[in-house]
Amino acid sequence: MAVAMREKTYRLYLDYLETAETKRRWNIFNDIPWDEFDLAKTTPATAASVEIFCAEEMYLPDYSINGLALVRDSFGPAWFQAAWAFEESRHGLVFREYLTRSGLRTEAEFAILEAEIVAKVWKLPFATTRQMACYGALQEGATFVAYRAQREQARAAGDTVREAIFHLVGRDEAAHGGFYRSMVELELAEDRAGTVDDLAFVLANFKMPGDGLIADYHARLQATGAGISPRVFMQRVVLPLLTTLGTTRDELRLAQMRLRPAA
Ligand SMILES: [Fe+2]
Ligand SMILES: [Fe+2]
């Protein structure tokens, strides 16, 4: 990485960390109103939704190992990965605590779920730091949108515990998306055409981390109402990202045509 880019990504991480440390830290012990839990405000579908999200968050060791290995020689992105991993570790944990403290799932059921999770390995979906920044911007954005819907649903149901959880976890995802978005902006300033090509490539091959790892991922998300549709993904994740980055669907389409191998 060029010296100027190293300095910019380090500054970006330091800004990220300052906000995280001063405004966004939370913990599962004091910031969730656990004693307000009311089983009557849950349904089998809400429990099943939290379980899928929990499973997806529990691939954290794979996300961390692969993510850090990719950026280990870039100080800012590497330290971001370390901070990111800590923040993400709270997500799977708080979902697990919600399910077990409430009695919605037993420890024995969780033991089975954990065994299913570690039986599969998440692999890096894209090969370069720049492509993974594009992926992170999209993936964190999609996760934020899905969790915001969960928060709204919990609020409507009067489940204050689930509402608090999805508020805090969703706020983390929004911050993660913001960091990756800023990384893509820096990359665009360095090499616009190459970065647009990468974004187009990542978008054309995008799938969520749990897709392919968690059994019946799409069917279960659909059945529980926890998934986001392709239309919502486009309107609430992709288009706002393109606007922030100062690019358009047309520019991406041109890049995708360029990338397509000649017939
Ligand atoms: Fe997360
Ligand atoms: Fe995240």
Side-chain angles (χ1 to χ4, degrees), residues 62-112:
D62 292 338
Y63 305 146
S64 306
I65 292 166
N66 289 289
L68 263 174
L70 184 69
V71 297
R72 66 170 292 284
D73 59 354
S74 309
F75 186 78
W79 257 245
F80 170 76
Q81 275 293 315
W84 177 93
F86 162 67
E87 293 179 6
E88 292 290 352
S89 75
R90 301 182 300 193
H91 301 175
L93 195 62
V94 76
F95 292 157
R96 186 191 204 283
E97 287 297 302
Y98 174 82
L99 291 168
T100 53
R101 286 187 192 211
S102 63
L104 289 165
R105 294 291 183 274
T106 64
E107 285 294 337
E109 284 170 326
F110 247 89
I112 294 169

Coordinates of all heavy atoms in Angstrom, one line a residue, residues 62-112:
D62 N -14.1 -17.6 11.7 CA -13.7 -17.6 10.3 C -13.6 -16.2 9.7 O -12.7 -15.9 8.9 CB -14.8 -18.4 9.4 CG -14.7 -19.9 9.8 OD1 -13.7 -20.4 10.4 OD2 -15.8 -20.6 9.6
Y63 N -14.6 -15.4 10.0 CA -14.5 -14.0 9.5 C -13.2 -13.3 9.9 O -12.6 -12.6 9.2 CB -15.7 -13.1 10.0 CG -17.1 -13.7 9.7 CD1 -18.1 -13.5 10.6 CD2 -17.4 -14.4 8.6 CE1 -19.4 -13.9 10.4 CE2 -18.7 -14.9 8.3 CZ -19.7 -14.6 9.3 OH -20.9 -15.1 9.0
S64 N -12.9 -13.6 11.2 CA -11.7 -12.9 11.8 C -10.4 -13.4 11.2 O -9.6 -12.6 10.8 CB -11.7 -13.1 13.3 OG -12.9 -12.7 13.9
I65 N -10.3 -14.7 11.1 CA -9.0 -15.3 10.6 C -8.8 -14.9 9.2 O -7.7 -14.4 8.8 CB -9.1 -16.9 10.7 CG1 -9.2 -17.4 12.1 CG2 -8.0 -17.5 9.9 CD1 -9.6 -18.8 12.2
N66 N -9.8 -15.0 8.4 CA -9.7 -14.7 6.9 C -9.5 -13.2 6.7 O -8.7 -12.8 5.9 CB -10.9 -15.2 6.1 CG -10.8 -16.7 6.1 OD1 -10.0 -17.3 5.4 ND2 -11.7 -17.4 6.8
G67 N -10.3 -12.4 7.4 CA -10.2 -11.0 7.3 C -8.8 -10.4 7.7 O -8.2 -9.6 7.0
L68 N -8.4 -10.9 8.8 CA -7.0 -10.4 9.3 C -5.9 -10.9 8.4 O -5.0 -10.1 8.1 CB -6.8 -10.9 10.7 CG -7.2 -9.9 11.8 CD1 -7.0 -10.6 13.2 CD2 -6.3 -8.6 11.8
A69 N -6.0 -12.1 7.9 CA -4.9 -12.6 7.1 C -4.8 -11.7 5.8 O -3.7 -11.5 5.3 CB -5.2 -14.1 6.7
L70 N -6.0 -11.3 5.3 CA -6.0 -10.5 4.1 C -5.3 -9.1 4.3 O -4.6 -8.6 3.4 CB -7.4 -10.3 3.6 CG -7.6 -9.6 2.3 CD1 -7.1 -10.5 1.1 CD2 -9.1 -9.2 2.0
V71 N -5.5 -8.5 5.4 CA -5.1 -7.1 5.6 C -3.9 -7.0 6.6 O -3.6 -5.9 7.0 CB -6.2 -6.2 6.1 CG1 -7.3 -6.1 5.1 CG2 -6.8 -6.7 7.4
R72 N -3.2 -8.1 7.0 CA -2.3 -8.0 8.1 C -1.1 -7.1 7.8 O -0.5 -6.5 8.8 CB -1.7 -9.4 8.4 CG -0.9 -10.0 7.3 CD -0.2 -11.3 7.8 NE 0.9 -11.0 8.7 CZ 2.1 -10.5 8.5 NH1 2.4 -10.2 7.2 NH2 3.0 -10.2 9.4
D73 N -0.8 -6.7 6.6 CA 0.3 -5.8 6.4 C -0.1 -4.4 6.2 O 0.6 -3.5 5.8 CB 1.1 -6.3 5.2 CG 0.3 -6.3 3.9 OD1 -0.9 -6.2 4.0 OD2 0.9 -6.6 2.8
S74 N -1.4 -4.1 6.4 CA -1.9 -2.7 6.4 C -2.4 -2.3 7.7 O -3.4 -2.8 8.2 CB -3.1 -2.6 5.4 OG -2.8 -3.2 4.2
F75 N -1.7 -1.4 8.4 CA -1.9 -1.1 9.8 C -3.4 -0.7 10.1 O -4.1 -1.4 10.9 CB -1.0 -0.1 10.3 CG -1.1 0.2 11.7 CD1 -0.4 -0.7 12.6 CD2 -1.8 1.3 12.2 CE1 -0.5 -0.5 14.0 CE2 -1.9 1.5 13.6 CZ -1.2 0.6 14.5
G76 N -3.9 0.3 9.4 CA -5.3 0.8 9.7 C -6.3 -0.3 9.5 O -7.1 -0.7 10.4
P77 N -6.4 -0.9 8.3 CA -7.4 -2.0 8.1 C -7.2 -3.2 9.0 O -8.2 -3.8 9.5 CB -7.1 -2.4 6.6 CG -6.6 -1.2 6.0 CD -5.8 -0.5 7.0
A78 N -5.9 -3.5 9.4 CA -5.7 -4.7 10.3 C -6.2 -4.4 11.7 O -6.9 -5.2 12.3 CB -4.2 -5.0 10.4
W79 N -6.0 -3.1 12.2 CA -6.5 -2.8 13.5 C -8.0 -2.7 13.5 O -8.7 -3.0 14.4 CB -5.8 -1.5 14.0 CG -4.8 -1.8 15.0 CD1 -4.8 -1.4 16.3 CD2 -3.5 -2.5 14.8 NE1 -3.7 -1.9 17.0 CE2 -2.9 -2.6 16.1 CE3 -2.9 -3.2 13.7 CZ2 -1.7 -3.2 16.3 CZ3 -1.7 -3.8 13.9 CH2 -1.1 -3.8 15.2
F80 N -8.5 -2.2 12.4 CA -10.0 -2.2 12.2 C -10.6 -3.6 12.3 O -11.6 -3.8 13.0 CB -10.4 -1.6 10.9 CG -11.9 -1.7 10.6 CD1 -12.9 -1.0 11.3 CD2 -12.4 -2.7 9.7 CE1 -14.2 -1.2 11.1 CE2 -13.7 -2.9 9.6 CZ -14.7 -2.1 10.2
Q81 N -9.9 -4.5 11.7 CA -10.4 -5.9 11.7 C -10.4 -6.4 13.2 O -11.4 -7.1 13.6 CB -9.5 -6.8 10.9 CG -9.9 -6.9 9.4 CD -11.2 -7.6 9.2 OE1 -11.5 -8.6 9.7 NE2 -12.0 -6.9 8.3
A82 N -9.4 -6.1 14.0 CA -9.4 -6.5 15.3 C -10.5 -5.9 16.1 O -11.2 -6.6 16.9 CB -8.0 -6.1 16.0
A83 N -10.8 -4.6 16.0 CA -11.9 -3.9 16.7 C -13.2 -4.4 16.2 O -14.1 -4.7 17.0 CB -11.8 -2.4 16.4
W84 N -13.3 -4.6 14.9 CA -14.5 -5.2 14.3 C -14.9 -6.5 14.9 O -16.0 -6.8 15.2 CB -14.3 -5.3 12.8 CG -15.4 -5.9 12.0 CD1 -16.4 -5.2 11.3 CD2 -15.6 -7.3 11.7 NE1 -17.2 -6.1 10.7 CE2 -16.7 -7.4 10.9 CE3 -14.9 -8.4 12.0 CZ2 -17.2 -8.6 10.4 CZ3 -15.4 -9.7 11.5 CH2 -16.5 -9.7 10.7
A85 N -13.8 -7.4 15.0 CA -14.1 -8.7 15.5 C -14.6 -8.7 17.0 O -15.5 -9.4 17.3 CB -12.8 -9.5 15.5
F86 N -14.1 -7.8 17.8 CA -14.6 -7.7 19.1 C -16.0 -7.2 19.1 O -16.9 -7.8 19.8 CB -13.8 -6.7 20.0 CG -14.5 -6.2 21.2 CD1 -14.7 -7.1 22.2 CD2 -14.9 -4.9 21.3 CE1 -15.4 -6.7 23.4 CE2 -15.7 -4.5 22.4 CZ -15.9 -5.4 23.4
E87 N -16.3 -6.2 18.3 CA -17.7 -5.7 18.2 C -18.7 -6.8 17.7 O -19.8 -7.0 18.3 CB -17.8 -4.5 17.4 CG -17.1 -3.3 18.0 CD -17.1 -2.0 17.2 OE1 -17.8 -2.0 16.1 OE2 -16.4 -1.1 17.5
E88 N -18.2 -7.5 16.7 CA -19.1 -8.6 16.2 C -19.2 -9.7 17.2 O -20.3 -10.4 17.2 CB -18.5 -9.2 14.9 CG -18.5 -8.2 13.7 CD -19.9 -7.9 13.1 OE1 -20.8 -8.6 13.5 OE2 -20.0 -7.0 12.3
S89 N -18.2 -9.9 18.0 CA -18.3 -11.1 19.0 C -19.5 -10.8 20.0 O -20.1 -11.8 20.5 CB -17.0 -11.2 19.8 OG -16.9 -10.2 20.7
R90 N -19.9 -9.6 20.2 CA -21.0 -9.3 21.1 C -22.3 -9.7 20.4 O -23.3 -9.9 21.1 CB -21.0 -7.8 21.5 CG -19.7 -7.3 22.2 CD -19.8 -5.9 22.6 NE -20.0 -5.0 21.4 CZ -19.9 -3.7 21.5 NH1 -19.5 -3.1 22.6 NH2 -20.1 -2.9 20.4
H91 N -22.3 -9.6 19.1 CA -23.6 -9.8 18.4 C -24.1 -11.3 18.6 O -25.3 -11.5 19.0 CB -23.5 -9.5 16.9 CG -23.1 -8.0 16.7 ND1 -22.8 -7.5 15.5 CD2 -22.9 -7.0 17.6 CE1 -22.5 -6.2 15.6 NE2 -22.5 -5.9 16.8
G92 N -23.3 -12.2 18.2 CA -23.7 -13.6 18.4 C -24.0 -13.9 19.9 O -24.9 -14.6 20.2
L93 N -23.2 -13.3 20.7 CA -23.4 -13.5 22.2 C -24.7 -13.0 22.7 O -25.4 -13.7 23.4 CB -22.2 -12.9 22.9 CG -22.0 -13.3 24.4 CD1 -21.7 -14.8 24.5 CD2 -20.8 -12.5 25.0
V94 N -25.0 -11.8 22.3 CA -26.3 -11.2 22.8 C -27.5 -11.9 22.2 O -28.5 -12.1 22.9 CB -26.3 -9.7 22.6 CG1 -26.7 -9.3 21.1 CG2 -27.3 -9.0 23.5
F95 N -27.4 -12.4 21.0 CA -28.5 -13.2 20.4 C -28.6 -14.5 21.2 O -29.7 -15.0 21.5 CB -28.3 -13.5 18.9 CG -28.4 -12.2 18.0 CD1 -27.7 -12.2 16.8 CD2 -29.1 -11.1 18.4 CE1 -27.8 -11.1 16.0 CE2 -29.1 -10.0 17.6 CZ -28.5 -10.0 16.4
R96 N -27.5 -15.1 21.5 CA -27.5 -16.4 22.2 C -28.1 -16.2 23.6 O -28.9 -17.0 24.0 CB -26.0 -16.9 22.3 CG -25.9 -18.2 22.9 CD -24.4 -18.5 23.3 NE -24.1 -19.9 23.3 CZ -24.4 -20.7 24.3 NH1 -25.1 -20.3 25.4 NH2 -24.1 -22.0 24.3
E97 N -27.7 -15.1 24.3 CA -28.2 -14.9 25.6 C -29.8 -14.6 25.6 O -30.5 -15.0 26.5 CB -27.5 -13.7 26.2 CG -26.1 -14.0 26.7 CD -26.1 -15.0 27.8 OE1 -26.7 -14.9 28.8 OE2 -25.4 -16.1 27.5
Y98 N -30.2 -13.9 24.5 CA -31.6 -13.7 24.4 C -32.4 -15.0 24.3 O -33.4 -15.2 25.0 CB -31.9 -12.8 23.1 CG -33.4 -12.6 22.8 CD1 -34.1 -11.6 23.4 CD2 -34.0 -13.4 21.9 CE1 -35.5 -11.5 23.1 CE2 -35.4 -13.3 21.6 CZ -36.1 -12.3 22.2 OH -37.4 -12.1 21.9
L99 N -31.9 -15.9 23.5 CA -32.6 -17.2 23.2 C -32.5 -18.1 24.4 O -33.5 -18.8 24.7 CB -31.9 -17.9 22.0 CG -32.2 -17.2 20.7 CD1 -31.4 -17.7 19.6 CD2 -33.7 -17.3 20.3
T100 N -31.4 -18.1 25.2 CA -31.3 -19.0 26.3 C -31.8 -18.4 27.6 O -32.5 -19.1 28.3 CB -29.8 -19.5 26.5 OG1 -29.0 -18.3 26.6 CG2 -29.3 -20.3 25.3
R101 N -31.6 -17.1 27.9 CA -32.1 -16.6 29.1 C -33.6 -16.6 29.1 O -34.3 -16.8 30.1 CB -31.7 -15.1 29.3 CG -30.3 -14.9 29.7 CD -30.0 -13.4 29.9 NE -28.6 -13.2 30.0 CZ -28.0 -12.2 30.8 NH1 -28.8 -11.5 31.6 NH2 -26.7 -12.0 30.8
S102 N -34.2 -16.5 27.9 CA -35.7 -16.5 27.8 C -36.3 -17.9 27.9 O -37.5 -18.0 28.0 CB -36.1 -15.8 26.4 OG -35.5 -16.7 25.4
G103 N -35.4 -18.8 27.7 CA -36.0 -20.2 27.6 C -36.5 -20.6 26.2 O -37.0 -21.6 26.0
L104 N -36.3 -19.6 25.2 CA -36.8 -19.9 23.9 C -36.0 -21.1 23.3 O -36.4 -21.8 22.4 CB -36.7 -18.7 23.0 CG -37.7 -17.6 23.3 CD1 -37.3 -16.3 22.7 CD2 -39.1 -18.0 22.8
R105 N -34.7 -21.2 23.7 CA -33.9 -22.3 23.3 C -33.1 -22.8 24.5 O -32.8 -22.0 25.4 CB -32.8 -21.9 22.3 CG -33.4 -21.4 20.9 CD -33.9 -22.6 20.1 NE -34.4 -22.2 18.8 CZ -35.6 -21.7 18.5 NH1 -36.5 -21.5 19.5 NH2 -35.9 -21.3 17.3
T106 N -32.9 -24.1 24.6 CA -32.1 -24.7 25.7 C -30.7 -24.7 25.4 O -30.3 -24.6 24.2 CB -32.6 -26.1 26.0 OG1 -32.3 -26.9 24.8 CG2 -34.1 -26.2 26.2
E107 N -29.9 -24.9 26.4 CA -28.4 -25.1 26.2 C -28.1 -26.3 25.3 O -27.2 -26.3 24.5 CB -27.7 -25.2 27.5 CG -27.6 -23.9 28.3 CD -26.7 -22.9 27.7 OE1 -25.8 -23.2 26.9 OE2 -26.8 -21.7 28.0
A108 N -28.9 -27.3 25.5 CA -28.7 -28.5 24.7 C -29.0 -28.2 23.2 O -28.3 -28.7 22.3 CB -29.7 -29.7 25.1
E109 N -30.0 -27.4 22.9 CA -30.3 -27.0 21.5 C -29.2 -26.2 21.0 O -28.8 -26.3 19.8 CB -31.6 -26.3 21.4 CG -32.8 -27.2 21.6 CD -34.1 -26.4 21.7 OE1 -34.2 -25.3 22.4 OE2 -35.2 -26.9 21.2
F110 N -28.6 -25.3 21.8 CA -27.5 -24.5 21.4 C -26.2 -25.3 21.1 O -25.5 -25.0 20.2 CB -27.2 -23.4 22.4 CG -27.5 -22.1 21.8 CD1 -28.7 -21.5 21.9 CD2 -26.5 -21.4 21.0 CE1 -29.1 -20.3 21.3 CE2 -26.9 -20.2 20.3 CZ -28.1 -19.7 20.5
A111 N -26.0 -26.4 21.9 CA -24.9 -27.3 21.7 C -25.0 -27.9 20.3 O -24.0 -28.0 19.5 CB -24.8 -28.4 22.7
I112 N -26.2 -28.2 19.8 CA -26.4 -28.8 18.5 C -26.1 -27.7 17.4 O -25.4 -28.0 16.5 CB -27.8 -29.4 18.4 CG1 -28.0 -30.6 19.3 CG2 -28.1 -29.8 16.9 CD1 -29.4 -31.0 19.5

